[in-house]
């Protein structure tokens, strides 16, 4: 990853009033390619996070993500948790939406078709990866509890359709974390009007409980918003043979990403990132937000240079 000045100079990051571009070096033949990671200065303890994505990185060797995490010198990962909203590797056509925590965050009571529309990822066996502990038995190290998104929520078909909108609601007071996805042109009117009403959106594709008995809300604290593009990395390398079987016959993942011609789809194009907070009024003195109060626009759209 490079700093802001280097990224802008290398053409791997830019922004206008209506779009933000985050990519990788697509020109050089190098073993380690310039890439970007951008994160919020603000930290959050709840929120509705809405990303309007025109294009997401895809292709063998890529590992992009839109995520939140909490950490400081006294609270090392995963003490304050991680919430991956959009994540994929190689040519994935479904996003993975995942929680990563320390011990005692269990989601085995959450049922596909009852609580969320899609499916659980799997651990080291055919059983659902429903334990968010990064050291959970029967799951890959650091796997967390992962749910697959809808078909076409990542990959070339996502980009060919003009992308879409993700809305992720982290609501400790209501006791849940849930997410929705709409292809381009299918976003609900209230969301386009910046007056979101999640209760009208139907069953989410992803749902996690913050019930104190199974996964208390203090697993997620002081989290920052992040967009990044990793190349190969731990997950990309682990899934390289499965995700890119033909390429894996003749080259390693690192050798593949050294070829700039293979990196032409490794970029984010964002039309907006909006953050909403529960509706405390702005009157003096302010009222306290409560479960079920409306989500009020709270933070940034596309960041400027």
């Amino acid at each position: 990853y490079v700093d802001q000045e280097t990224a802008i100079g290398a053409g791997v990051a830019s922004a206008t009033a209506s779009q933000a571009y985050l990519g990788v070096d697509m020109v050089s033949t190098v073993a380690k390619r310039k890439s970007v990671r951008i994160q919020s200065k603000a930290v959050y303890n709840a929120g509705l996070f809405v990303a309007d994505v025109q294009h997401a990185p895809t292709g063998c060797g890529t590992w992009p993500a839109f995520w939140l995490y909490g950490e400081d010198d006294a609270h090392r990962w995963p003490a304050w948790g991680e919430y991956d909203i959009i994540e994929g590797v190689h040519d994935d056509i479904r996003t993975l939406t995942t929680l990563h925590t320390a011990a005692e965050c269990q989601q085995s009571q959450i049922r596909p078709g009852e609580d969320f529309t899609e499916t659980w990822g799997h651990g080291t066996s055919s059983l659902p990866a429903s334990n968010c502990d990064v050291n959970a038995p029967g799951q890959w190290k650091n796997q967390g509890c992962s749910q697959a998104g809808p078909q076409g929520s990542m990959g070339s078909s996502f980009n060919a359709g003009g992308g879409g909108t993700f809305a992720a609601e982290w609501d400790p007071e209501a006791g849940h974390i849930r997410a929705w996805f709409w292809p381009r042109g299918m976003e609900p009117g209230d969301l386009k009007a910046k007056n979101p009403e999640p209760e009208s959106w139907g069953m989410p594709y992803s749902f996690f409980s913050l019930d104190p008995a199974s996964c208390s809300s203090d697993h997620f604290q002081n989290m920052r918003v992040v967009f990044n593009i990793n190349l190969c990395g731990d997950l990309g390398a682990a899934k390289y043979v499965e995700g890119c079987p033909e390429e894996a016959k003749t080259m390693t993942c690192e050798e593949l990403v050294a070829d700039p011609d293979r990196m032409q789809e490794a970029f984010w194009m964002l039309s907006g990132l909006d953050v909403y907070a529960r509706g405390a009024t702005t009157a003096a003195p302010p009222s306290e937000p409560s479960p079920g109060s409306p989500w009020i626009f709270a933070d940034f759209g596309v960041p400027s240079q």
Side-chain angles (χ1 to χ4, degrees):
Y1 297 124
V2 295
D3 61 31
Q4 180 181 6
E5 182 179 356
T6 303
I8 293 171
V12 299
S14 62
T16 68
S18 60
Q19 289 182 326
Y21 172 89
L22 304 169
V24 304
D25 171 7
M26 300 179 184
V27 178
S28 307
T29 301
V30 289
K32 291 196 173 182
R33 186 169 302 283
K34 292 184 177 71
S35 185
V36 291
R37 168 176 166 154
I38 185 171
Q39 69 180 39
S40 65
K41 294 180 180 179
V43 297
Y44 300 93
N45 284 285
L48 176 65
F49 303 84
V50 180
D52 184 342
V53 182
Q54 293 184 22
H55 185 283
T58 190
C60 285
T62 61
W63 175 16
F66 165 47
W67 51 297
L68 294 87
Y69 81 106
E71 185 175 55
D72 67 11
D73 290 342
H75 302 86
R76 307 309 297 179
W77 184 93
W80 280 347
E82 176 179 326
Y83 176 28
D84 302 329
I85 301 166
I86 307 173
E87 183 180 30
V89 292
H90 308 307
D91 293 320
D92 281 354
I93 61 171
R94 302 173 72 181
T95 188
L96 274 181
T97 299
T98 305
L99 303 182
H100 300 271
T101 70
E104 299 183 0
C105 182
Q106 176 63 253
Q107 301 290 324
S108 58
Q109 76 279 18
I110 303 304
R111 306 296 183 189
E114 297 179 15
D115 301 299
F116 66 109
T117 62
E118 299 303 318
T119 58
W120 281 108
H122 296 293
T124 55
S125 68
S126 60
L127 297 176
S130 58
N131 190 335
C132 308
D133 180 358
V134 297
N135 295 309
Q139 297 181 191
W140 305 107
K141 184 171 178 59
N142 297 338
Q143 181 175 6
C145 49
S146 55
Q147 296 171 351
Q151 295 278 345
S153 55
M154 285 289 288
S156 57
S157 60
F158 173 86
N159 294 331
T165 298
F166 293 82
E169 183 186 52
W170 168 25
D171 194 343
E173 293 299 324
H176 58 235
I177 296 175
R178 52 186 184 171
W180 295 261
F181 167 71
W182 302 274
R184 178 71 56 204
M186 301 297 290
E187 305 87 349
D190 59 281
L191 191 60
K192 290 191 284 187
K194 298 188 183 297
N195 184 31
E197 299 178 1
E199 296 308 319
S200 71
W201 296 344
M203 188 180 293
Y205 80 78
S206 172
F207 182 94
F208 301 103
S209 173
L210 297 179
D211 184 334
S214 56
C215 182
S216 60
S217 61
D218 60 5
H219 281 91
F220 305 95
Q221 299 183 53
N222 302 320
M223 297 210 289
R224 300 179 187 273
V225 179
V226 184
F227 280 92
N228 74 290
I229 309 171
N230 204 335
L231 298 175
C232 297
D234 293 343
L235 185 61
K239 293 196 170 185
Y240 180 57
V241 173
E242 174 189 352
C244 304
E246 292 304 312
E247 290 81 358
K249 292 176 182 177
T250 59
M251 66 185 79
T252 66
C253 188
E254 291 74 15
E255 290 169 339
L256 182 145
V257 302
D259 180 357
D261 291 341
R262 295 179 179 271
M263 296 288 101
Q264 299 306 302
E265 294 295 314
F267 67 93
W268 293 100
M269 186 68 79
L270 309 172
S271 293
L273 172 58
D274 295 334
V275 180
Y276 298 82
R278 280 293 184 196
T281 68
T282 57
S287 63
E288 290 294 324
S290 60
S293 59
W295 289 109
I296 305 298
F297 185 75
D299 215 347
F300 51 92
V302 174
S304 65
Q305 293 184 4

